[in-house]
Amino acid sequence: MSRTIVAAAAQLGPIARLDTRKAVVERLIALLGEAASRGAELVVFPELTLTTFFPRWHMTDPDEIDAFYETEMPGPDTRPLFETARRLKIGFYLGYAELAVENGVKHRYNTAILVDRNGEIVGTYRKIHLPGWDRPQPGRTAQHLEKYYFEPGNLGFKVFETMGTRIGMAICNDRRWPETYRVMALKGSEMILVGYNTPDDHTGHFDFDSLTQFHNQLSLQAGAYQNSNWVIATAKAGHEEGSNLIGQSMIVAPSGQIVAMATSTADEVIVAKCDLDMAALYRKTIFDFARHREPEAYRLIVETRGPVSD
Ligand code: CDV
């Protein structure tokens, strides 16, 4: 008997700077309801779901900055989402800015949690590949200051056994790095969940930026196929505070085929029934890691960050 899970990507249209958490959570609850009515058992929301994508601005006032972070999860504003999910018996992935106190020291992470069908947090991931800069770049109209607002995640790429499958998490820029998927696939993941905010002006070079959507598909399809995983990827999309965020939320099978894709840049749910045994199929054949991988030849990947001369 095949094992299946009905998964949904719950894409969000733009969130304005002045939109309240309460208003955003109401939108999330509506999306959760629609996903449930279409049979979904697991819903993936975007990266930094609860606010506008604030790393586009350089803020210096600590109070202004802190207002974008969550200090508890669930908190008063997000609890209704957890309660609705529990009532609907639906699991979810939620990205948010996390302000954590570890050993008495404040840390800021770009975080995603995995919540099971009982409304319990069963996994936490903190974004490892932070794009952009740690200070504003002169001459750029669009800043991308994730290295200013966040530290690299300190939890590694874990895989969580839950909801009848093995789930890994990644956040936005992580999806472009093959290492992201491979580490989780080696740990036996069958599904990788990804939330993202991808502006179409990141490099500032038209020839590259015009390929933003192609690179989104390329990364997600390659990651799914080369690692024999389902990939559920969800965008925050549309014209948000002067920035154009691509949509293209999608569900990709372990074959690399896109089985569902959003057609708008607004709030939109896409759903697919995912056959989890499809992941095993490729792992027994072309991507039988134990039989075909040659780790000795890959040493450099973990020994160095950047290019080396041979
Ligand atoms: N939020 C992101 O990580 N965005 C990056 C952009 C800036 C390139 C991405 O990889 O989509």
Side-chain angles (χ1 to χ4, degrees), residues 57-115:
W57 295 305
H58 182 225
M59 297 177 279
T60 52
D61 174 354
D63 291 339
E64 192 183 11
I65 294 173
D66 281 358
F68 287 98
Y69 291 77
E70 310 303 311
T71 53
E72 54 178 335
M73 189 55 68
D77 293 322
T78 43
R79 196 158 286 117
L81 178 68
F82 282 68
E83 286 165 359
T84 308
R86 189 180 305 124
R87 181 172 52 76
L88 296 173
K89 284 265 157 236
I90 208 165
F92 66 91
Y93 161 116
L94 180 77
Y96 63 96
E98 178 190 9
L99 182 53
V101 179
E102 295 169 315
N103 299 322
V105 180
K106 265 188 184 184
H107 295 275
R108 296 170 190 276
Y109 300 106
N110 187 339
T111 295
I113 46 166
L114 181 62
V115 177

Side-chain angles (χ1 to χ4, degrees), residues 183-204:
V183 170
M184 291 188 276
L186 283 169
K187 293 181 177 179
S189 62
E190 294 179 318
M191 290 195 131
I192 293 176
L193 317 182
V194 190
Y196 60 95
N197 282 261
T198 298
D200 67 3
D201 58 359
H202 181 66
T203 70

Side-chain angles (χ1 to χ4, degrees), residues 2-53:
S2 68
R3 295 178 304 124
T4 59
I5 183 165
V6 181
Q11 176 174 287
L12 274 180
I15 297 177
R17 185 167 186 159
L18 294 178
D19 284 352
T20 62
R21 298 279 201 294
K22 190 171 177 298
V24 173
V25 169
E26 276 167 17
R27 284 165 65 184
L28 302 184
I29 290 174
L31 291 167
L32 210 56
E34 181 184 339
S37 72
R38 293 167 62 186
E41 301 159 282
L42 172 64
V43 171
V44 179
F45 291 115
E47 172 192 35
L48 299 176
T49 308
L50 300 169
T51 64
T52 197
F53 189 75

Side-chain angles (χ1 to χ4, degrees), residues 114-126:
L114 181 62
V115 177
D116 73 9
R117 294 186 193 126
N118 300 315
E120 301 296 333
I121 298 175
V122 291
T124 302
Y125 169 69
R126 290 170 174 159

Side-chain angles (χ1 to χ4, degrees), residues 93-307:
Y93 161 116
L94 180 77
Y96 63 96
E98 178 190 9
L99 182 53
V101 179
E102 295 169 315
N103 299 322
V105 180
K106 265 188 184 184
H107 295 275
R108 296 170 190 276
Y109 300 106
N110 187 339
T111 295
I113 46 166
L114 181 62
V115 177
D116 73 9
R117 294 186 193 126
N118 300 315
E120 301 296 333
I121 298 175
V122 291
T124 302
Y125 169 69
R126 290 170 174 159
K127 184 174 181 177
I128 288 175
H129 298 103
L130 297 173
W133 295 270
D134 63 359
R135 67 198 69 172
Q137 298 302 293
R140 276 191 68 96
T141 40
Q143 299 292 336
H144 194 105
L145 297 172
E146 282 198 59
K147 288 186 195 295
Y148 173 73
Y149 288 112
F150 302 112
E151 293 168 50
N154 58 356
L155 300 176
F157 291 111
K158 293 208 181 91
V159 171
F160 304 95
E161 189 138 17
T162 180
M163 298 179 249
T165 181
R166 293 176 63 79
I167 298 180
M169 291 187 278
I171 301 178
C172 197
N173 192 258
D174 287 323
R175 76 195 188 287
R176 303 184 193 274
W177 299 87
E179 295 86 350
T180 299
Y181 306 85
R182 182 53 52 89
V183 170
M184 291 188 276
L186 283 169
K187 293 181 177 179
S189 62
E190 294 179 318
M191 290 195 131
I192 293 176
L193 317 182
V194 190
Y196 60 95
N197 282 261
T198 298
D200 67 3
D201 58 359
H202 181 66
T203 70
H205 299 277
F206 176 74
D207 284 348
F208 299 146
D209 287 335
S210 63
L211 297 173
T212 302
Q213 299 204 2
F214 166 63
H215 289 153
N216 183 44
Q217 290 190 39
L218 183 68
S219 304
L220 295 169
Q221 289 184 267
Y225 168 62
Q226 293 173 342
N227 297 283
S228 198
N229 262 251
W230 285 91
V231 173
I232 321 297
T234 308
K236 171 119 74 54
H239 304 295
E240 185 181 275
E241 299 287 3
S243 175
N244 290 330
L245 299 172
I246 65 162
Q248 281 194 329
S249 298
M250 68 182 89
I251 300 178
V252 188
S255 56
Q257 291 166 294
I258 296 171
V259 296
M261 189 192 273
T263 53
S264 76
T265 51
D267 290 14
E268 179 178 346
V269 176
I270 57 168
V271 176
K273 186 171 179 176
C274 306
D275 177 354
L276 298 167
D277 292 330
M278 216 174 151
L281 175 69
Y282 288 91
R283 282 202 192 161
K284 283 188 209 135
T285 54
I286 195 92
F287 292 121
D288 182 341
F289 289 162
R291 210 148 54 91
H292 303 307
R293 290 186 76 252
E294 297 293 349
E296 271 304 307
Y298 316 145
R299 275 184 178 277
L300 204 54
I301 288 175
V302 289
E303 285 172 356
T304 186
R305 261 174 181 263

